Amino acid sequence: MTQQKATNITWHDGNVTREERARALKQKGATVWMTGLSASGKSTIAVALEQVLLQRGKLAYRLDGDNIRHGLNKNLGFSAEDRAENIRRIGEVAKLFADAGIIAVTSFISPYKADRDNVRKLHLDAKLPFFEVFVDLPLDVAEQRDPKGLYKKARAGQLKGFTGIDDPYEAPVKPELHLKTHRMSVEESVRAILELLESGGTLRA
Amino acid sequence: MTQQKATNITWHDGNVTREERARALKQKGATVWMTGLSASGKSTIAVALEQVLLQRGKLAYRLDGDNIRHGLNKNLGFSAEDRAENIRRIGEVAKLFADAGIIAVTSFISPYKADRDNVRKLHLDAKLPFFEVFVDLPLDVAEQRDPKGLYKKARAGQLKGFTGIDDPYEAPVKPELHLKTHRMSVEESVRAILELLESGGTLRA
């Protein structure tokens, strides 16, 4: 302990620990990784989850296409290599947020199992909780919803390598949570994630 | 406002706003960008600052070589292009933390003015505060300290492109804060940054 002469300014050797952060925030850092087809409901659930957590005094932050594709990953395209790098970087940033004590909530299609498994390993190696949430809507239903008209464009050949149409979606084998959003409301999905976080000890110091 | 049928689960359309985050955290997000020579004191000040902020109930998170070079930026080397990309990515991540309402504290040499100016612009375009802190130790003093023996290696030609030896350090022209760490204690430096944050309104909702 390095005691300083003046009042109010004291610090100890070494970094702020995760335990100190958890006590201050009354929560533990974690990553909630949502994966699923375009239009499966990932972003809608993430937005609601973030709000509900904040109402309960818990700090979450969403990583999604809006704040990643135009920022950190704006120099990446859609080649196989760039797609892998896209998910790798998002995983690293989620890990930093989790390390900071925050609940990182990501909503990316993240169709490849290997990429998701790498992100899981990153977290587990750092002793940070990783919750893979499979937002599972049948392709035909997603295609009917098609709020952005992307499936239509993909079917017309105007979008190449579109997940579910001409690129595979590799479903999670053992996700921490499997949300069948065809038969669940947003509220039910949010509640299920909250229960997952509660049972994982994330929502307390 | 979308009212849900069950208790405790309600949310509104759209994202959590910065104002909502600020009210919950009793602070505003910002980036404190420390720049200066190797051994100038950046990390020491950052570690103390983070602790002091946490003691005051304020949430900060440090980005430094330890959590960035081995993670997000592990696929970058030391070419001119990679150095620029290194700082760009760190700037984007700091911006995400600031957007999340957190005080991002970065401690990287970040020797080139153009790179730092790009990060400043990223923040200002997003209406997020950016505080450039020049941690200014004379080169001869840094070289005498040389806690990691890096200057010695650079002088011996074992490290190429070392800032201050065979690569330039472009000093900030108009930093928000200029810390002359040869004549200031760590405590004085931390106090000066706290005053900067206070006067910028960062430490209140």
Side-chain angles (χ1 to χ4, degrees):
Chain A
M1 188 74 173
T2 313
Q3 277 292 340
Q4 301 300 312
K5 61 190 170 185
T7 52
N8 290 331
I9 302 264
T10 62
W11 63 93
H12 57 74
D13 289 334
N15 301 337
V16 168
T17 65
R18 276 195 200 147
E19 290 68 29
E20 286 173 311
R21 292 186 168 282
R23 278 197 298 274
L25 285 167
K26 300 183 180 64
Q27 70 180 50
K28 297 188 195 82
T31 290
V32 176
W33 188 278
M34 301 210 286
T35 170
L37 294 173
S38 181
S40 58
K42 299 182 298 300
S43 290
T44 305
I45 295 167
V47 165
L49 175 65
E50 186 186 25
Q51 287 184 27
V52 172
L53 284 169
L54 197 70
Q55 286 165 16
R56 297 179 177 201
K58 306 302 174 186
L59 187 61
Y61 188 66
R62 285 183 308 109
L63 300 172
D64 62 18
D66 286 341
N67 59 18
I68 292 292
R69 267 281 174 195
H70 303 292
L72 179 66
N73 290 357
K74 70 179 179 186
N75 55 1
L76 295 176
F78 292 90
S79 68
E81 191 183 15
D82 278 8
R83 283 174 182 226
E85 173 68 3
N86 180 50
I87 297 301
R88 187 193 73 81
R89 289 189 198 167
I90 294 162
E92 290 282 6
V93 173
K95 179 184 149 185
L96 290 170
F97 273 91
D99 183 52
I102 295 151
I103 302 164
V105 181
T106 69
S107 50
F108 296 88
I109 298 173
S110 48
Y112 304 130
K113 181 173 182 301
D115 294 340
R116 296 191 307 263
D117 286 350
N118 286 339
V119 176
R120 176 187 293 273
K121 183 171 188 309
L122 269 184
H123 282 74
L124 299 190
D125 286 352
K127 298 190 185 349
L128 289 168
F130 180 79
F131 301 106
E132 188 177 13
V133 177
F134 180 18
V135 183
D136 181 14
L137 187 72
L139 176 62
D140 61 326
V141 184
E143 202 170 345
Q144 279 162 30
R145 290 189 184 175
D146 203 13
K148 298 176 192 163
L150 298 175
Y151 285 98
K152 200 176 168 190
K153 281 188 184 171
R155 288 285 183 198
Q158 293 165 333
L159 280 177
K160 299 290 182 191
F162 196 79
T163 300
I165 306 298
D166 57 346
D167 213 64
Y169 178 77
E170 300 174 357
V173 178
K174 271 192 187 179
E176 274 70 21
L177 190 62
H178 187 156
L179 300 175
K180 296 177 181 176
T181 50
H182 191 29
R183 295 194 293 267
M184 292 175 82
S185 66
V186 174
E187 184 189 329
E188 286 166 335
S189 294
V190 168
R191 203 178 283 280
I193 298 174
L194 287 175
E195 281 167 16
L196 180 69
L197 293 174
E198 267 163 14
S199 70
T202 300
L203 302 185
R204 55 181 188 270
Chain B
M1 189 75 173
T2 313
Q3 277 292 341
Q4 300 301 312
K5 61 190 171 187
T7 53
N8 289 331
I9 301 262
T10 62
W11 64 92
H12 57 74
D13 289 332
N15 301 336
V16 168
T17 66
R18 275 194 199 147
E19 291 67 29
E20 287 173 310
R21 295 187 165 280
R23 279 197 299 273
L25 285 167
K26 299 183 180 65
Q27 69 181 49
K28 296 186 195 84
T31 290
V32 175
W33 189 278
M34 302 211 284
T35 170
L37 294 172
S38 181
S40 59
K42 298 181 298 300
S43 290
T44 306
I45 295 167
V47 166
L49 174 65
E50 186 186 23
Q51 289 185 26
V52 172
L53 284 170
L54 197 68
Q55 287 165 16
R56 297 180 177 200
K58 305 301 173 187
L59 187 61
Y61 188 68
R62 285 182 309 108
L63 299 172
D64 61 18
D66 287 341
N67 58 17
I68 292 292
R69 268 283 174 195
H70 303 292
L72 179 66
N73 291 356
K74 71 178 178 186
N75 55 0
L76 296 175
F78 291 90
S79 67
E81 192 183 13
D82 278 9
R83 284 175 181 225
E85 173 67 4
N86 180 50
I87 297 301
R88 186 193 73 80
R89 289 188 199 167
I90 295 162
E92 291 281 6
V93 173
K95 180 184 147 184
L96 290 171
F97 273 90
D99 183 52
I102 296 151
I103 302 164
V105 181
T106 70
S107 49
F108 297 88
I109 298 172
S110 48
Y112 304 129
K113 183 176 181 301
D115 294 339
R116 296 191 307 264
D117 286 350
N118 285 339
V119 177
R120 176 188 293 274
K121 184 172 187 308
L122 269 185
H123 283 74
L124 299 191
D125 286 351
K127 299 193 184 348
L128 289 167
F130 181 81
F131 301 105
E132 188 176 13
V133 176
F134 181 19
V135 184
D136 181 14
L137 188 73
L139 176 63
D140 61 324
V141 184
E143 201 169 345
Q144 278 165 32
R145 291 187 183 175
D146 203 13
K148 298 175 193 165
L150 297 175
Y151 285 99
K152 200 176 169 189
K153 281 188 184 170
R155 288 287 185 197
Q158 294 164 331
L159 280 177
K160 299 291 184 191
F162 195 79
T163 299
I165 305 300
D166 57 347
D167 212 64
Y169 178 76
E170 299 173 357
V173 177
K174 271 192 187 180
E176 274 70 20
L177 190 62
H178 187 156
L179 300 174
K180 296 178 180 174
T181 49
H182 190 29
R183 295 194 294 266
M184 292 174 82
S185 66
V186 174
E187 183 190 327
E188 286 167 333
S189 293
V190 169
R191 203 177 283 280
I193 297 173
L194 288 175
E195 281 168 16
L196 180 67
L197 294 174
E198 268 162 14
S199 70
T202 300
L203 303 183
R204 56 179 186 271

